[in-house]
Amino acid sequence: MPDGSPLSALHSIRFKGCETDILCAEDQKVLMAMEQKIHFPNPRPVRVGCRKGGCGACRVKVTKGSYTAEKSSRTHVTEEEAAEGYALACRISPRSDLELEPAFLGPRRPVENGD
């Protein structure tokens, strides 16, 4: 199971508005690395929810760097948004140093015909 083992390459993760950069292994999810490194009383720069891509709480915009993303529902990140760099921090692993912005939207309203 991916766990950020010492054999995996490490990358720096910088969150907009957060003074603390973290290291994240290529075989680790960004959200899990953040949870391990940033503890109370320091506020976490990204919301934490279900940790499996179902709630969208950890939605971010990747403004710099490359990553791989596990498949997830398009409820929280559409294909168009993914092409613009939006992702769920619980579903991405770094392939280079990353810069992220929190991008939580809250529940989306279903699109109704005629709007």
Side-chain angles (χ1 to χ4, degrees), residues 4-64:
S5 71
L7 301 176
S8 195
L10 294 174
H11 299 289
S12 176
I13 311 298
R14 171 169 285 174
F15 297 94
K16 182 179 179 182
C18 181
E19 295 178 13
T20 305
D21 292 357
I22 64 167
L23 290 178
C24 183
E26 285 190 353
D27 66 348
Q28 186 176 31
K29 301 295 179 270
V30 169
L31 186 71
M32 303 321 161
M34 180 199 73
E35 285 189 289
Q36 290 174 357
K37 307 288 194 260
I38 301 176
H39 302 282
F40 182 82
N42 298 320
R44 290 184 173 149
V46 175
R47 292 174 177 233
V48 178
C50 70
R51 298 175 182 86
K52 296 186 187 280
C55 70
C58 64
R59 188 174 190 266
V60 295
K61 182 172 185 181
V62 180
T63 58
K64 188 174 187 181

Side-chain angles (χ1 to χ4, degrees), residues 15 22 44 48 53-54 56 60 82 90 92-93 95 102 105-106 108 115:
F15 297 94
I22 64 167
R44 290 184 173 149
V48 178
V60 295
C90 68
I92 63 172
S93 299
R95 291 294 170 250
L105 285 179
R108 292 185 189 226
D115 280 354

Side-chain angles (χ1 to χ4, degrees), residues 68-80:
T68 57
E70 288 186 0
K71 186 176 180 180
S72 63
S73 166
R74 291 293 177 197
T75 302
H76 304 294
V77 179
T78 66
E79 282 188 51
E80 294 81 14

